[in-house]
Amino acid sequence: MSSRRSNGTVTGIVALSVALVALVALTFVPTPYVIQRPGPVYDTLGTARSADGVKVPLIEIEGAETYPTGGTLDLTTVQVIGNRERTPTWFELAVAWTDPTRAVVPIDTVFPQGVSSDERDERNAALMVDSQHEATAAALTELGYDVGATVRVVETVADSPAGGELRADDLVLAIDGEAIDSATALRDAIQQADGAEVTLTIERAGQEKTVSVTPEKSTDAAGDEVWLIGIALTTDYDFPIDVRLQLDNVGGPSAGMMFALGIIDTLTPGELNGGEDVAGTGTIDAAGTVGPIGGIRQKLYGARDAGATVFLAPEGNCDEVVGHVPDGLKVFRTGTLQESLEILEVVAEGGDASALPVCTAKR
């Protein structure tokens, strides 16, 4: 009896030792995933610390009358744990899989192949700057200002369809005869051409000319097929007033809608949110179209934990919102800046929120 128990004990110890060795080994095995978790929340009506550690207003406006605000219009962020140089361990992934506030995502969707962490940060910083310009344009356009939009080529990709046709600083005036007033509008028109040749009207060194290019099919970081001509674009605006958006250490375009709302609230009498704590996310273009973003579930939890009771979510993210709304948070869907303003009007007046648009499950 004692011999059998002794053998069983030895077998158990050996099995446990093997399991522990395997677990320790797994901590050193690279994983093909990173973890997303709620990041800092910033009130666009408030202040944040600059790179020098000084508190500065997120929105500062000169050249027009501004008004007191109340409550919050929070922009939400996502933090990423891990990168290509140091991926999370399998143990960290296992813990994250059981945490509803976190998401485990393939590393390629966050850090594309061939792109270093520094390059990714630089691109995200550029996207944030472009997003701030679009947010300012959308807000001022909503308020009746003329923003004088011009689409400019920043750079061209060698051996691409546009490589021998377009140059940096070319102004793109039209595509297939239709006037273009934003980089987003040009990208959309290229997608709608579905691979067919497009004719661009451009201005170079003060001279107008036309060039023809045939888009090539490619795959973006999310795995979606897109048509590209091989140029980086920006939209230059001639704003009639000085709007400065100041937020360091946050990249990407997802703060656009909340910045636009903050600008409108600052330039109009009364409180856009009725003094309520409102959060949200979404890209925006100069026409006021709100686009989907990544990490929506983490942003919902981040907003709730920061004290928000109302959240504005892009309609393009609704399939990720349904079934994942934290307790204490009311989420309304929006597709345009105008829809966001209409939602806030009801919230501010304490009206019937049951009639407002929400995300619903697909049938």
Side-chain angles (χ1 to χ4, degrees):
M1 293 285 290
S2 61
S3 177
R4 285 196 296 269
R5 278 199 297 267
S6 178
N7 289 338
T9 300
V10 171
T11 301
I13 292 174
V14 171
L16 179 60
S17 298
V18 171
L20 289 174
V21 170
L23 182 61
V24 171
L26 279 175
T27 63
F28 296 99
V29 176
T31 62
Y33 301 99
V34 291
I35 299 169
Q36 293 179 332
R37 68 180 180 188
V41 171
Y42 300 94
D43 179 15
T44 60
L45 305 177
T47 61
R49 292 196 179 277
S50 68
D52 299 327
V54 179
K55 280 190 175 182
V56 296
L58 266 70
I59 297 174
E60 194 168 18
I61 298 175
E62 293 182 1
E65 185 174 4
T66 59
Y67 300 87
T69 59
T72 66
L73 288 173
D74 293 335
L75 66 86
T76 49
T77 68
V78 172
Q79 285 186 331
V80 177
I81 301 173
N83 52 44
R84 288 201 175 276
E85 291 73 39
R86 191 275 183 192
T87 59
T89 66
W90 287 105
F91 178 75
E92 290 174 312
L93 294 177
V95 172
W97 265 311
T98 64
D99 186 344
T101 71
R102 301 191 178 201
V104 176
V105 298
I107 194 170
D108 287 345
T109 64
V110 181
F111 297 94
Q113 287 281 359
V115 179
S116 69
S117 295
D118 288 342
E119 289 172 332
R120 173 182 177 273
D121 290 343
E122 289 176 4
R123 291 182 183 182
N124 279 339
L127 285 171
M128 170 59 95
V129 171
D130 193 46
S131 172
Q132 291 175 347
H133 290 164
E134 294 289 301
T136 302
L140 296 187
T141 299
E142 175 67 27
L143 295 174
Y145 289 95
D146 181 2
V147 299
T150 305
V151 181
R152 178 171 56 87
V153 176
V154 177
E155 63 179 347
T156 61
V157 178
D159 300 322
S160 69
E165 301 291 343
L166 296 175
R167 303 174 187 171
D169 292 327
D170 283 348
L171 302 182
V172 183
L173 309 179
I175 179 170
D176 291 335
E178 294 292 328
I180 290 295
D181 61 3
S182 74
T184 300
L186 179 57
R187 294 187 190 103
D188 289 346
I190 291 172
Q191 301 314 304
Q192 291 168 9
D194 199 27
E197 182 182 78
V198 295
T199 300
L200 303 178
T201 304
I202 66 170
E203 180 183 315
R204 179 181 298 161
Q207 299 295 316
E208 188 172 307
K209 61 182 296 186
T210 60
V211 297
S212 296
V213 293
T214 302
E216 292 180 344
K217 185 176 290 187
S218 183
T219 303
D220 63 16
D224 297 324
E225 290 187 341
V226 293
W227 293 99
L228 302 176
I229 63 172
I231 56 176
L233 298 166
T234 189
T235 306
D236 296 328
Y237 297 99
D238 183 16
F239 295 131
I241 61 177
D242 184 13
V243 179
R244 292 192 296 278
L245 305 181
Q246 306 174 99
L247 183 59
D248 292 324
N249 302 320
V250 175
S254 65
M257 179 184 69
M258 297 311 294
F259 267 128
L261 292 173
I263 293 168
I264 292 174
D265 200 4
T266 303
L267 286 171
T268 54
E271 298 171 347
L272 201 62
N273 51 23
E276 297 291 330
D277 290 331
V278 176
T281 188
T283 66
I284 201 165
D285 63 20
T289 303
V290 175
I293 49 76
I296 185 71
R297 296 178 188 175
Q298 287 67 54
K299 292 179 178 181
L300 291 173
Y301 280 99
R304 192 276 308 272
D305 293 345
T309 56
V310 173
F311 192 96
L312 302 176
E315 61 184 9
N317 288 118
C318 271
D319 58 336
E320 301 170 81
V321 170
V322 175
H324 299 279
V325 178
D327 291 339
L329 194 65
K330 295 179 180 178
V331 179
F332 302 107
R333 63 173 169 82
T334 178
T336 66
L337 179 59
Q338 184 59 45
E339 288 179 358
S340 298
L341 291 170
E342 292 170 357
I343 291 169
L344 289 181
E345 182 178 2
V346 174
V347 171
E349 295 176 352
D352 182 11
S354 65
L356 294 177
V358 297
C359 291
T360 56
K362 294 181 179 179
R363 295 185 177 179

